[in-house]
Amino acid sequence: MKPFNLPSTFKLGSATAATQIEGGDLNSNWYHWGLQGRIANQESSIVAADHYNRYREDIDLMKQLHQEVYRMSIEWSRIEPEEGIWSEEGIKHYRQELTLLIEAGIEPLVTLHHFSQPQWFEAIGAWTHDKCVFYFTRFVKKVIESIGDLVNEYCTINEPNVLVNDSYMDGNFPPGKKGDMKAYFKASKHLILAHLESYQLIHKMRTEMGYSDTMVGMVHHLAYFESAKKDPFTKMSRNILDYAFHTLFLKGMVEGQLAFPIGHGYPHGKGIFCDFIGINYYSRHMIHFKFNPGMLFGEIKFKAGLTDESLNDMGWEIYPKGLYEVVEKVYRKYALPIYITENGIPDSQDQKRTKFIITHLEQVHFLIEAGVDIRRYYYWSLLDNLEWHDGYGPRFGLIEVNYKTLERSIRSSGKVYAQICQTKKIGANLIEQYIDTSSDAGALR
Ligand code: BGC
């Protein structure tokens, strides 16, 4: 690897999601999911990292980490704990947190839906309910009325593909359905419509408020899919899964198209419904053919035979080059600004995180050199947090959280990342110290 600089206009920071860090919310579907024993080790979201009470301390830590940008989510169930009932306390809280961030010189990017929703919404069927788009956009309207003067950048829905997959195919997320293709596609359609309506609504409202700097995007989980074999059946599996997991949502949320099998045509007209595309990238997946119509004719696995060095604590392959591939492909198609809205590693020993960050930023550098308009990098995650149904085991944080005392400490990788955020430089010293150039392990391109 050669030393490189990132442009001074390129912004670095980190990302979180409310349920994963805040604690204290009794009205979200994830609190209820925990009550049903569906989180590893019978854990609960009730305390998490207690960020709801400790956000001042956490913003101080962000300052120490030289974060320029911060992606956070607003918990719908804190704003609308019961259907149609708005919580002034919830609104006040987020206004205070956002105000403090802005005073600290950290630009917020607000996600409106990050996997969790109010239990009342879950109980009526969530994203499969006929009025779900109405309920969600009513919440969005309330949020923009409440914080639209503070925030100009929004992500509508985080990873709609993972949400429907885990809720209706794998059964890891509430309501825990397995192999329910009908619900998968019905919810996908509604999530796309919710994005399209929210995109237009946020723009309209902020324009009426006198602002012209609104940026609204989708956040897409783009995994790098590779065919495990070269035969036509495996290639077909790869293409079907790529379509159902990736393309369907890009067509829907970027182009406004309801494509097969969820519908047809352009309910809001032809156009572009994203001002940026947020990309969450974690790993490469090998696609195997499997005759299994219920599961879209394929199986997604990690590459076999990898050594510990290429695996994170959850057994996912560390594959920086995939970041280049997925971003380049989307940029080539849409030419919209790209934000890397998540990229990170669970690494409890903090042995691999610094190298992970550097090697992925190198791919960002290659993308910039190739002319891609890529503007942001949000490391996932600022703090150790609740990794959904996997509980508190995986440690993604730049900051370690001691779950007994809730004390925070910045990891060594966090300190290196802080330096990178401040200088935008990956110098020879960092490469020598963290990248094993002898085995050429860092030279991925
Ligand atoms: C999600 C995060 C999650 C992360 C690591 C993304 O799919 O948006 O909430 O913690 O990946 O699994």
Side-chain angles (χ1 to χ4, degrees), residues 16-17 20 71 114-115 158-159 161-163 173 219 221 280-282 314 316 341-346 380-381 385-388 390 394 396:
T16 60
Q20 294 181 270
R71 175 175 172 237
H114 195 127
F115 292 166
N158 179 69
E159 301 189 347
N161 53 351
V162 173
L163 179 65
F173 287 10
V219 167
H221 182 104
N280 295 353
Y281 172 77
Y282 286 89
M314 293 171 84
W316 307 350
T341 34
E342 283 181 36
N343 177 235
I345 180 172
W380 182 271
S381 180
N385 58 47
L386 174 71
E387 178 54 15
W388 304 108
D390 285 314
F396 279 91

Side-chain angles (χ1 to χ4, degrees), residues 258-321:
L258 290 182
F260 176 82
I262 60 171
H264 53 83
Y266 297 81
H268 290 266
K270 280 192 185 177
I272 291 294
F273 297 85
C274 277
D275 305 312
F276 65 88
I277 300 180
I279 295 178
N280 295 353
Y281 172 77
Y282 286 89
S283 191
R284 162 166 68 173
H285 296 276
M286 306 308 289
I287 308 301
H288 296 255
F289 171 71
K290 188 170 182 200
F291 186 72
N292 183 358
M295 300 302 268
L296 300 162
F297 297 101
E299 263 190 322
I300 304 177
K301 293 184 178 170
F302 288 106
K303 198 174 163 70
L306 294 168
T307 59
D308 179 61
E309 213 207 327
S310 335
L311 296 172
N312 72 22
D313 286 356
M314 293 171 84
W316 307 350
E317 182 186 8
I318 302 169
Y319 189 67
K321 192 172 184 292

Side-chain angles (χ1 to χ4, degrees), residues 161-179:
N161 53 351
V162 173
L163 179 65
V164 291
N165 187 65
D166 281 45
S167 305
Y168 306 112
M169 288 301 234
D170 288 352
N172 293 323
F173 287 10
K177 297 224 169 112
K178 285 196 178 165

Side-chain angles (χ1 to χ4, degrees), residues 183-242:
Y184 178 101
F185 287 120
K186 191 172 186 191
S188 301
K189 176 179 172 179
H190 288 151
L191 286 159
I192 290 168
L193 292 172
H195 167 81
L196 298 175
E197 285 193 24
S198 304
Y199 176 86
Q200 291 180 321
L201 177 67
I202 300 169
H203 271 287
K204 181 171 174 283
M205 288 182 72
R206 287 198 86 250
T207 304
E208 282 166 9
M209 288 163 116
Y211 299 107
S212 57
D213 58 351
T214 309
M215 293 285 277
V216 184
M218 76 172 297
V219 167
H220 206 4
H221 182 104
L222 289 180
Y224 182 61
F225 280 177
E226 213 171 278
S227 306
K229 290 188 189 154
K230 289 198 165 42
D231 64 278
F233 287 112
T234 310
K235 280 190 189 159
M236 178 194 75
S237 289
R238 197 214 83 94
N239 293 343
I240 292 177
L241 285 170
D242 190 39

